[in-house]
Structures are given as structure tokens and as C-alpha cells.
């Protein structure tokens, strides 16, 4: 029996904001590499999660949700998605099974149709929130949308990332569509995003909990310094993390800090737990809230904040 050829390559999830792309990435990788939140539009950096198999390496590129942009930040995020689509081997569109196919989905599939050589997969996400009848209808609607727009789906797969339903099957199907090639990343690497970026994202995720209206979009986090504390015994390391949470207005700063600093303390506690779980080291987290006025619309501020 001939040995199976090793496959490796890149797959990207696209979909409307909050279509379940980040949760799906984490479920496939088996660890938290991208932040998830019930607030739409939480992903801003293209984080690559890495799925290791003996016969393959699947590199998942998580993109921001494609949407009609209202700010300069929105335009930059959309450009980032379009560049990514042209560079990966497989594009997988996510359609939440508990929501009807809408104009936003059509907009995304239209964009996919422009990328000719990339293989295309459709994923019905969040099947745990839909009835079998709804899922059946949803799969028919996805197939019809592909036909109308001129996209040929290589696969159409229903999954539930939160329950783990069909996640292994999805990985198998994506891997089958990758080209033959060598391993791209060392064993054990779960993401190629620098640790500072992952840490900043976990702080932003904690900061997004329990905030409403326009505030989620106004939050940006920059890790200013991250070092192991000197003079510590080897068996008792401590990682010092100094980070700034940026908001756009004074009133938002007040909300972020909370009464007598209670909200910021909670953000710090939640974020520290997640960072320690990710890096496997005790963490001292020092957080400050600063104002970067209207940063989403200001090219200079966007650059400073890493967009």
C-alpha cells in the first residue's frame, strides 16, 4: 500500500459578522486562537490557526466579517478580506443555520465568485440552534444561492462548533481540497500570530463583555510591554504585561473603568485567566484606559493602533 501524500495549505472562513467563523476556527484547532463574542465584527486581525494531522497541515485564516463599510476601519477590514481570498487554497463561506440567507450573504458569495482559482466550500454553522427542517431548507437555499451567483460548492456541510458536531468531518473535507505539500509550521504551533497580538485580542474580548451600543466598535487594545520578570526563580516565573485599552470619547472611558474602577478590574481578572491559559505562565496584568479620539476614522490613529 502506497503511503498517503502529505497535504498542506490555507483555508479561509468568510461570512457576515457573527456567522460563527471564530468559534469554528477554535473548534478545529482545539484551542482558543481567536476571540469570540456575541458582538458582531469582533475579529480585526487575520489570525491563522493551525490544525495538525499526521498526513496534513491545515492553516486556517480567520478574516473579519465582510460588510458594507461605514468607516475607514471598515474599508481597511474589507480590503484585508479580499486580499486574503485571493491568496488561500480554499474559501469556506459560513451561513448560520438559525438565520435566513440574506443580502449580506449574497454580497459575500458575489465577492467569492470573483476569485476564480480558489476552491469554495459552504458551511451551515450553528446547527444546534435550528430544527432538522430548518437545516434541510437552509442547505437547499445555500445550494441555490451558489447556482444563482455562479459559485460551484465543492462541499456543503452542516456543523455545530459549540457542540463539536461534524467538526472532524469538516477538517477531513477541507484537507482533501488542499494541494500536496510539506509541513508549513512546526508541530505544536497553534497560530502564527505574535503572542502580543493574541494577548491584546484576549484583553479586547474581556473588554467587550457587557458593553453595548457603539462602544464595542470603539475599543482597541495595544500591548505596550510584555516581559518575564527578572530575579524570579525558574520554577516560579511571572509574565508582566502592560497594555492600554483605547476608546474614542471621555464618556466611553468612564464606562470602561466603571464605578470605583470595578469594571476595569473585572476585565483584568477575566483577561488574565485567559492569557495564563494560553501561555501557561502566571501573569501580572497592568491595564490603563486611554482616549484616541475618533480613531476608526483617522488614518494616523489607525496606523498607531496597528490597522
Amino acid at each position: 500500500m502506497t503511503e498517503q501524500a502529505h497535504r498542506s495549505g490555507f483555508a479561509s472562513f468568510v461570512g457576515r459578522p457573527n456567522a460563527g467563523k471564530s468559534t469554528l476556527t477554535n473548534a478545529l484547532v482545539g484551542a482558543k486562537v481567536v476571540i469570540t463574542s456575541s458582538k458582531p465584527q469582533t475579529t480585526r486581525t487575520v489570525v491563522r490557526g493551525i490544525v495538525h494531522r499526521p498526513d496534513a497541515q491545515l492553516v486556517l485564516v480567520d478574516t473579519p466579517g465582510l460588510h458594507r463599510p461605514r468607516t475607514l476601519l471598515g474599508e481597511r477590514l474589507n480590503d484585508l478580506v479580499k486580499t486574503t481570498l485571493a491568496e488561500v487554497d480554499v474559501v469556506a463561506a459560513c451561513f448560520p443555520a438559525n438565520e435566513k440567507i440574506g443580502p449580506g450573504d449574497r454580497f459575500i458569495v458575489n465577492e467569492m465568485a470573483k476569485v476564480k482559482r480558489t476552491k469554495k466550500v459552504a458551511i451551515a454553522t450553528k446547527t444546534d440552534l435550528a430544527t432538522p427542517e430548518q437545516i434541510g431548507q437552509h442547505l437547499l437555499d445555500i445550494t441555490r444561492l451558489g447556482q444563482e451567483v455562479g459559485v460551484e460548492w465543492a462541499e456543503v456541510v452542516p456543523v455545530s462548533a459549540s457542540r463539536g458536531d461534524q467538526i472532524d468531518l469538516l477538517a477531513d473535507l477541507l484537507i482533501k481540497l488542499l494541494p500536496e505539500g510539506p509541513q508549513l509550521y512546526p508541530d505544536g504551533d497553534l497560530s502564527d500570530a505574535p503572542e502580543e497580538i493574541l494577548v491584546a485580542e484576549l484583553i479586547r474580548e474581556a473588554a467587550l463583555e457587557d458593553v453595548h451600543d457603539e462602544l464595542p466598535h470603539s475599543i482597541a487594545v495595544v500591548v505596550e510591554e510584555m516581559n518575564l520578570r527578572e530575579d524570579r526563580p525558574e520554577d516560579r516565573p511571572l509574565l508582566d504585561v502592560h497594555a492600554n485599552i483605547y476608546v474614542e470619547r471621555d464618556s466611553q472611558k468612564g464606562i470602561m473603568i466603571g464605578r470605583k474602577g470595578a469594571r476595569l478590574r473585572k476585565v483584568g481578572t477575566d483577561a488574565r485567566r485567559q492569557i495564563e491559559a494560553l501561555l501557561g505562565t502566571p501573569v501580572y496584568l497592568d491595564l490603563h484606559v486611554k482616549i484616541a479620539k475618533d480613531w476608526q476614522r483617522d488614518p494616523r490613529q489607525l496606523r498607531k493602533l496597528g490597522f
Side-chain angles (χ1 to χ4, degrees):
M1 192 171 137
T2 57
E3 202 176 301
Q4 224 177 336
H6 189 278
R7 293 181 181 276
S8 60
F10 295 83
S12 178
F13 292 138
V14 294
R16 279 180 293 147
N18 221 8
K21 301 178 294 292
S22 301
T23 313
L24 195 52
T25 299
N26 291 335
L28 282 159
V29 174
K32 185 165 195 166
V33 289
V34 281
I35 77 167
T36 55
S37 159
S38 56
K39 312 284 183 300
Q41 241 356 78
T42 39
T43 305
R44 290 190 188 147
T45 43
V46 181
V47 176
R48 297 189 170 88
I50 304 162
V51 180
H52 299 271
R53 293 263 177 112
D55 59 337
Q57 199 170 60
L58 170 65
V59 185
L60 299 168
V61 182
D62 187 54
T63 58
L66 258 176
H67 60 297
R68 290 195 173 78
R70 289 194 300 273
T71 60
L72 182 59
L73 172 66
E75 284 170 31
R76 296 239 169 124
L77 294 179
N78 271 0
D79 290 344
L80 188 69
V81 178
K82 289 172 188 174
T83 322
T84 304
L85 294 196
E87 292 171 350
V88 296
D89 302 293
V90 184
V91 180
C94 296
F95 305 97
N98 60 330
E99 293 172 32
K100 289 210 170 353
I101 301 279
D105 298 309
R106 186 172 290 272
F107 171 70
I108 287 159
V109 178
N110 262 317
E111 291 299 322
M112 287 171 75
K114 297 174 190 170
V115 189
K116 293 296 179 222
R117 56 163 209 88
T118 310
K119 295 175 179 130
K120 298 164 186 80
V121 170
I123 304 172
T125 56
K126 307 188 182 186
T127 54
D128 53 303
L129 302 178
T131 63
E133 293 74 28
Q134 278 176 308
I135 295 166
Q137 186 57 51
H138 193 60
L139 295 174
L140 291 173
D141 293 345
I142 291 170
T143 307
R144 189 176 311 119
L145 176 61
Q147 287 163 350
E148 287 168 7
V149 176
V151 164
E152 195 179 323
W153 302 120
E155 302 282 353
V156 181
V157 198
V159 305
S160 164
S162 63
R163 279 210 310 235
D165 296 351
Q166 304 238 86
I167 294 298
D168 289 343
L169 172 72
L170 176 62
D172 291 341
L173 295 173
L174 292 173
I175 284 167
K176 217 166 59 189
L177 296 170
L178 297 179
E180 291 181 8
Q183 192 169 323
L184 301 166
Y185 292 93
D187 288 336
D189 279 16
L190 298 180
S191 172
D192 72 347
E195 284 183 349
E196 281 83 355
I197 298 273
L198 293 173
V199 166
E201 286 287 277
L202 289 174
I203 295 168
R204 192 163 69 90
E205 178 179 49
L208 282 167
E209 278 309 305
D210 311 322
V211 295
H212 304 290
D213 307 324
E214 83 289 3
L215 185 53
H217 301 280
S218 300
I219 297 170
V221 176
V222 177
V223 171
E224 300 294 341
E225 258 187 273
M226 193 163 109
N227 295 306
L228 278 171
R229 190 174 294 186
E230 291 174 6
D231 316 324
R232 295 275 299 188
E234 257 182 48
D235 57 348
R236 291 192 38 234
L238 184 66
L239 185 69
D240 284 316
V241 178
H242 300 276
N244 291 328
I245 298 174
Y246 287 94
V247 291
E248 296 187 290
R249 289 191 292 290
D250 261 332
S251 58
Q252 294 173 339
K253 183 175 178 177
I255 294 169
M256 202 63 226
I257 292 171
R259 195 157 167 229
K260 297 186 174 170
R263 182 135 209 300
L264 188 60
R265 275 199 300 281
K266 183 179 184 315
V267 170
T269 306
D270 294 351
R272 195 185 72 239
R273 245 200 323 267
Q274 294 279 5
I275 297 165
E276 289 179 341
L278 177 78
L279 302 178
T281 311
V283 167
Y284 169 77
L285 179 58
D286 176 42
L287 289 180
H288 293 272
V289 182
K290 299 196 168 186
I291 296 168
K293 201 168 156 22
D294 294 330
W295 67 263
Q296 292 187 73
R297 297 169 196 281
D298 176 346
R300 206 173 51 87
Q301 304 257 38
L302 279 173
R303 270 199 305 281
K304 184 182 140 190
L305 297 174
F307 294 108

